[in-house]
Amino acid sequence: MLLIRCPWCGLREQAEFSCGGEAHIVRPLKPDELTDEQWADYLFMRDNTKGWQTEQWVHSGGCRRWFNAQRDTVTYKFGISYKHTDPKPEDGD
Amino acid sequence: MFEMAAMRSPLNSLHGEDVPHVEFNGITLTELPFLRHYNVRFQPDDQQASSRFRQLLGFDAPQGPNIFVVHEDNLCAWLGPDEWLIVTPFHAKDSLDYALNEFAYGDDFVTRVDISAAQTIIRATGPKAADLLGRGVSYDLHPRNFQAGSCIQTVLARASVTLFAQSAAAVTIDIVVRRSFAEHLWNWLVDAGQESEFHSL
Protein backbone atom coordinates (compact mmCIF):
# COMPACT_ATOMS: atom_id res chain seq x y z
CA MET A 1 0.00 0.00 0.00
CA LEU A 2 1.28 3.45 -0.91
CA LEU A 3 1.22 5.82 2.06
CA ILE A 4 1.38 9.60 1.65
CA ARG A 5 2.17 11.97 4.48
CA CYS A 6 -0.32 14.81 4.90
CA PRO A 7 1.42 17.69 6.74
CA TRP A 8 -1.59 17.90 9.06
CA CYS A 9 -3.03 14.38 9.41
CA GLY A 10 0.10 12.25 9.09
CA LEU A 11 0.55 9.08 7.03
CA ARG A 12 -2.57 7.99 5.16
CA GLU A 13 -3.28 5.69 2.27
CA GLN A 14 -3.02 7.02 -1.26
CA ALA A 15 -6.75 6.51 -1.98
CA GLU A 16 -7.52 9.52 0.26
CA PHE A 17 -5.47 11.88 -1.92
CA SER A 18 -5.71 13.53 -5.32
CA CYS A 19 -2.81 14.99 -7.26
CA GLY A 20 -2.92 18.55 -8.60
CA GLY A 21 0.15 18.49 -10.83
CA GLU A 22 3.48 20.27 -10.60
CA ALA A 23 3.92 22.66 -7.67
CA HIS A 24 5.48 26.12 -7.43
CA ILE A 25 4.06 27.42 -10.70
CA VAL A 26 3.43 31.09 -10.03
CA ARG A 27 0.53 32.85 -11.73
CA PRO A 28 1.80 35.89 -13.69
CA LEU A 29 1.08 39.14 -11.88
CA LYS A 30 -0.06 40.93 -15.07
CA PRO A 31 -1.69 38.34 -17.36
CA ASP A 32 -2.95 41.00 -19.78
CA GLU A 33 0.62 42.03 -20.64
CA LEU A 34 1.69 38.53 -21.66
CA THR A 35 2.01 37.25 -25.19
CA ASP A 36 -0.10 34.23 -26.15
CA GLU A 37 3.03 32.14 -26.04
CA GLN A 38 3.89 33.21 -22.49
CA TRP A 39 0.31 32.60 -21.32
CA ALA A 40 0.24 29.16 -22.93
CA ASP A 41 3.55 28.42 -21.25
CA TYR A 42 2.06 29.28 -17.85
CA LEU A 43 -1.13 27.30 -18.50
CA PHE A 44 0.10 24.17 -20.21
CA MET A 45 3.86 23.68 -20.26
CA ARG A 46 5.27 21.48 -17.48
CA ASP A 47 8.74 20.13 -16.79
CA ASN A 48 7.79 16.44 -17.15
CA THR A 49 10.65 15.57 -14.82
CA LYS A 50 12.15 12.11 -14.71
CA GLY A 51 13.12 11.72 -11.06
CA TRP A 52 12.26 13.94 -8.13
CA GLN A 53 9.63 16.61 -8.65
CA THR A 54 7.43 18.65 -6.34
CA GLU A 55 3.69 18.22 -6.78
CA GLN A 56 0.50 19.64 -5.36
CA TRP A 57 -1.67 17.13 -3.53
CA VAL A 58 -4.98 17.45 -1.74
CA HIS A 59 -6.08 15.24 1.15
CA SER A 60 -9.60 14.99 -0.26
CA GLY A 61 -10.64 12.00 1.87
CA GLY A 62 -9.34 13.61 5.05
CA CYS A 63 -8.77 17.22 6.06
CA ARG A 64 -9.38 18.53 2.48
CA ARG A 65 -6.26 20.72 2.58
CA TRP A 66 -3.77 21.25 -0.27
CA PHE A 67 -0.09 20.69 0.32
CA ASN A 68 3.08 20.06 -1.66
CA ALA A 69 4.99 16.80 -1.76
CA GLN A 70 8.15 15.52 -3.39
CA ARG A 71 7.72 12.41 -5.48
CA ASP A 72 10.09 10.40 -7.61
CA THR A 73 8.31 9.93 -10.92
CA VAL A 74 10.34 6.80 -11.68
CA THR A 75 9.91 4.87 -8.43
CA TYR A 76 6.75 6.57 -7.04
CA LYS A 77 8.66 7.02 -3.79
CA PHE A 78 7.47 10.02 -1.78
CA GLY A 79 9.88 12.47 -0.13
CA ILE A 80 9.07 15.42 2.09
CA SER A 81 5.51 16.75 2.40
CA TYR A 82 5.17 20.39 3.37
CA LYS A 83 2.53 23.10 3.62
CA HIS A 84 1.94 25.11 0.46
CA THR A 85 3.09 28.27 2.27
CA ASP A 86 6.52 26.76 2.98
CA PRO A 87 9.48 27.26 0.58
CA LYS A 88 10.49 24.60 -1.91
CA PRO A 89 12.96 22.18 -0.28
CA GLU A 90 15.98 20.46 -1.80
CA ASP A 91 15.36 17.37 -3.92
CA GLY A 92 14.60 14.15 -2.03
CA ASP A 93 17.04 11.33 -1.45
CA MET B 1 -39.54 24.79 15.86
CA PHE B 2 -40.04 21.31 14.53
CA GLU B 3 -41.50 18.39 16.40
CA MET B 4 -39.28 15.51 17.50
CA ALA B 5 -42.05 13.04 16.54
CA ALA B 6 -42.09 14.25 12.94
CA MET B 7 -38.32 13.82 12.48
CA ARG B 8 -36.92 10.89 10.54
CA SER B 9 -33.32 9.83 10.70
CA PRO B 10 -31.37 8.78 7.58
CA LEU B 11 -31.53 5.16 8.76
CA ASN B 12 -35.20 5.03 9.80
CA SER B 13 -36.15 3.39 6.52
CA LEU B 14 -34.17 0.28 7.50
CA HIS B 15 -35.99 -0.19 10.78
CA GLY B 16 -39.41 1.38 10.50
CA GLU B 17 -39.84 4.11 13.06
CA ASP B 18 -37.36 2.67 15.57
CA VAL B 19 -33.82 3.80 16.11
CA PRO B 20 -31.71 1.38 14.05
CA HIS B 21 -29.95 -1.12 16.29
CA VAL B 22 -28.37 -4.48 15.50
CA GLU B 23 -26.15 -6.88 17.41
CA PHE B 24 -24.05 -9.61 15.85
CA ASN B 25 -20.92 -11.51 16.86
CA GLY B 26 -20.28 -9.30 19.87
CA ILE B 27 -20.56 -6.06 17.92
CA THR B 28 -23.41 -3.63 18.46
CA LEU B 29 -24.33 -1.08 15.82
CA THR B 30 -26.76 1.66 16.66
CA GLU B 31 -27.59 5.02 15.18
CA LEU B 32 -27.27 8.21 17.23
CA PRO B 33 -29.98 10.16 15.38
CA PHE B 34 -31.08 13.79 15.68
CA LEU B 35 -27.86 15.16 17.11
CA ARG B 36 -27.06 18.70 16.08
CA HIS B 37 -23.92 19.09 13.96
CA TYR B 38 -22.23 22.40 13.29
CA ASN B 39 -19.26 23.15 11.08
CA VAL B 40 -17.26 26.05 12.53
CA ARG B 41 -14.34 27.80 10.84
CA PHE B 42 -11.98 30.51 11.98
CA GLN B 43 -8.25 31.18 11.85
CA PRO B 44 -6.65 29.56 14.92
CA ASP B 45 -4.03 32.33 15.12
CA ASP B 46 -6.81 34.94 15.32
CA GLN B 47 -6.52 35.72 19.04
CA GLN B 48 -9.76 37.64 19.20
CA ALA B 49 -11.80 34.90 17.53
CA SER B 50 -10.20 32.21 19.69
CA SER B 51 -10.91 34.07 22.90
CA ARG B 52 -14.50 34.83 21.85
CA PHE B 53 -14.96 31.13 21.06
CA ARG B 54 -13.74 30.22 24.55
CA GLN B 55 -15.86 32.90 26.16
CA LEU B 56 -19.09 31.92 24.36
CA LEU B 57 -18.74 28.13 24.33
CA GLY B 58 -16.75 27.58 27.51
CA PHE B 59 -13.87 25.57 26.03
CA ASP B 60 -11.00 25.87 23.56
CA ALA B 61 -11.27 24.40 20.08
CA PRO B 62 -8.68 21.59 19.88
CA GLN B 63 -5.55 22.76 18.04
CA GLY B 64 -3.85 19.48 17.36
CA PRO B 65 -4.68 17.25 14.41
CA ASN B 66 -6.88 14.17 14.78
CA ILE B 67 -8.27 14.90 18.26
CA PHE B 68 -11.57 15.92 19.78
CA VAL B 69 -12.60 17.32 23.15
CA VAL B 70 -15.81 16.85 25.10
CA HIS B 71 -17.09 19.69 27.22
CA GLU B 72 -20.43 19.17 29.01
CA ASP B 73 -22.91 18.38 26.22
CA ASN B 74 -20.67 19.42 23.37
CA LEU B 75 -18.18 17.39 21.38
CA CYS B 76 -15.71 19.47 19.35
CA ALA B 77 -13.53 17.73 16.77
CA TRP B 78 -10.58 19.00 14.76
CA LEU B 79 -11.33 18.71 11.02
CA GLY B 80 -8.56 20.90 9.65
CA PRO B 81 -6.18 23.67 10.72
CA ASP B 82 -9.06 26.18 10.66
CA GLU B 83 -12.14 23.93 10.78
CA TRP B 84 -14.04 22.10 13.53
CA LEU B 85 -17.14 19.96 13.95
CA ILE B 86 -19.30 20.51 17.01
CA VAL B 87 -21.89 17.88 17.91
CA THR B 88 -24.46 18.42 20.62
CA PRO B 89 -27.60 16.57 21.73
CA PHE B 90 -31.00 17.75 20.55
CA HIS B 91 -31.99 19.11 23.97
CA ALA B 92 -28.89 21.33 24.16
CA LYS B 93 -29.19 22.81 20.70
CA ASP B 94 -30.78 26.11 21.71
CA SER B 95 -27.94 27.21 23.97
CA LEU B 96 -25.30 26.12 21.43
CA ASP B 97 -27.25 27.79 18.62
CA TYR B 98 -27.27 31.00 20.61
CA ALA B 99 -23.55 30.81 21.40
CA LEU B 100 -22.58 30.08 17.80
CA ASN B 101 -24.82 32.84 16.45
CA GLU B 102 -23.17 35.29 18.81
CA PHE B 103 -19.80 33.98 17.68
CA ALA B 104 -20.59 34.24 13.96
CA TYR B 105 -22.18 37.69 14.06
CA GLY B 106 -19.16 39.36 15.64
CA ASP B 107 -16.56 41.32 13.70
CA ASP B 108 -14.18 38.38 13.34
CA PHE B 109 -13.80 36.37 10.15
CA VAL B 110 -15.65 33.24 11.27
CA THR B 111 -18.40 30.98 9.94
CA ARG B 112 -20.71 28.44 11.45
CA VAL B 113 -23.00 26.21 9.39
CA ASP B 114 -25.73 23.95 10.78
CA ILE B 115 -25.15 20.63 8.99
CA SER B 116 -27.39 18.53 11.25
CA ALA B 117 -29.57 17.41 8.35
CA ALA B 118 -26.56 16.43 6.24
CA GLN B 119 -25.08 13.68 8.35
CA THR B 120 -25.73 11.16 11.08
CA ILE B 121 -23.69 9.03 13.46
CA ILE B 122 -23.42 5.24 13.64
CA ARG B 123 -21.99 3.92 16.91
CA ALA B 124 -20.05 0.63 16.81
CA THR B 125 -19.44 -0.96 20.22
CA GLY B 126 -17.76 -4.17 21.26
CA PRO B 127 -14.31 -5.71 21.59
CA LYS B 128 -14.19 -6.37 17.85
CA ALA B 129 -15.57 -3.02 16.72
CA ALA B 130 -12.13 -1.78 15.65
CA ASP B 131 -11.53 -5.02 13.72
CA LEU B 132 -14.83 -4.59 11.93
CA LEU B 133 -13.99 -1.06 10.80
CA GLY B 134 -10.48 -2.26 9.98
CA ARG B 135 -11.99 -4.31 7.16
CA GLY B 136 -12.36 -1.05 5.27
CA VAL B 137 -9.98 1.47 6.84
CA SER B 138 -6.22 1.36 6.35
CA TYR B 139 -5.56 3.54 9.40
CA ASP B 140 -4.50 1.55 12.48
CA LEU B 141 -7.60 1.55 14.69
CA HIS B 142 -6.01 -0.54 17.46
CA PRO B 143 -6.51 1.27 20.81
CA ARG B 144 -2.72 1.64 21.21
CA ASN B 145 -2.76 3.90 18.13
CA PHE B 146 -6.35 5.16 17.99
CA GLN B 147 -6.75 6.19 21.62
CA ALA B 148 -9.86 7.60 23.28
CA GLY B 149 -10.12 11.22 22.25
CA SER B 150 -8.73 10.62 18.75
CA CYS B 151 -10.71 11.35 15.63
CA ILE B 152 -9.75 10.78 12.02
CA GLN B 153 -11.34 11.62 8.72
CA THR B 154 -10.93 8.83 6.22
CA VAL B 155 -12.70 6.75 3.59
CA LEU B 156 -14.66 3.65 4.63
CA ALA B 157 -16.32 1.55 1.94
CA ARG B 158 -15.89 4.50 -0.47
CA ALA B 159 -17.80 6.81 1.88
CA SER B 160 -16.15 9.80 3.54
CA VAL B 161 -16.39 9.32 7.29
CA THR B 162 -15.12 10.85 10.50
CA LEU B 163 -14.30 8.32 13.21
CA PHE B 164 -14.30 9.14 16.93
CA ALA B 165 -12.58 6.86 19.45
CA GLN B 166 -15.01 7.37 22.32
CA SER B 167 -13.56 4.91 24.80
CA ALA B 168 -10.72 2.46 24.90
CA ALA B 169 -11.92 -0.15 27.42
CA ALA B 170 -15.13 -1.41 25.80
CA VAL B 171 -14.23 -0.20 22.35
CA THR B 172 -16.72 2.38 21.14
CA ILE B 173 -16.18 4.09 17.81
CA ASP B 174 -18.60 6.67 16.42
CA ILE B 175 -18.81 7.00 12.66
CA VAL B 176 -20.01 10.32 11.25
CA VAL B 177 -21.34 9.73 7.74
CA ARG B 178 -23.26 11.75 5.16
CA ARG B 179 -26.94 10.87 5.16
CA SER B 180 -26.91 9.69 1.55
CA PHE B 181 -24.17 7.18 2.39
CA ALA B 182 -25.64 6.10 5.74
CA GLU B 183 -27.75 3.19 4.52
CA HIS B 184 -24.97 1.91 2.26
CA LEU B 185 -22.45 2.09 5.11
CA TRP B 186 -24.81 0.41 7.58
CA ASN B 187 -25.41 -2.48 5.18
CA TRP B 188 -21.67 -2.73 4.48
CA LEU B 189 -20.89 -2.91 8.23
CA VAL B 190 -23.53 -5.59 8.85
CA ASP B 191 -22.23 -7.56 5.87
CA ALA B 192 -18.56 -7.24 6.89
CA GLY B 193 -19.45 -8.45 10.40
CA GLN B 194 -20.71 -11.76 9.01
CA GLU B 195 -17.22 -12.88 8.01
CA SER B 196 -15.90 -15.91 9.81
CA GLU B 197 -13.28 -14.15 11.93
CA PHE B 198 -16.08 -12.39 13.81
CA HIS B 199 -17.97 -15.60 14.66
CA SER B 200 -15.58 -16.92 17.29
CA LEU B 201 -16.46 -14.45 20.05
Side-chain angles (χ1 to χ4, degrees), chain A residues 1 8-13 16 59-65, chain B residues 41 65-66 78-83 138-139 152-155:
Chain A
M1 185 193 306
W8 286 280
C9 301
L11 277 177
R12 297 295 181 85
E13 73 168 315
E16 295 181 13
H59 192 188
S60 42
C63 62
R64 299 177 302 285
R65 294 309 186 279
Chain B
R41 298 192 68 170
N66 305 336
W78 182 96
L79 295 185
D82 57 359
E83 185 174 5
S138 64
Y139 192 83
I152 61 158
Q153 300 164 88
T154 185
V155 179

Side-chain angles (χ1 to χ4, degrees), chain A residues 54-75:
Chain A
T54 51
E55 297 172 334
Q56 307 174 91
W57 284 81
V58 60
H59 192 188
S60 42
C63 62
R64 299 177 302 285
R65 294 309 186 279
W66 285 91
F67 61 94
N68 294 339
Q70 296 175 324
R71 184 176 67 91
D72 189 318
T73 57
V74 178
T75 63

Side-chain angles (χ1 to χ4, degrees), chain B residues 15 20-30 122-129 131-133 135 175 185-201:
Chain B
H15 294 255
H21 180 93
V22 64
E23 291 177 37
F24 51 87
N25 303 329
I27 299 163
T28 304
L29 293 180
T30 188
I122 298 171
R123 169 165 286 181
T125 312
K128 291 231 164 187
D131 297 310
L132 173 64
L133 296 185
R135 306 293 298 186
I175 309 159
L185 187 64
W186 181 276
N187 289 332
W188 185 92
L189 288 167
V190 171
D191 181 58
Q194 308 307 314
E195 300 202 7
S196 57
E197 70 174 272
F198 295 109
H199 282 268
S200 56
L201 272 165

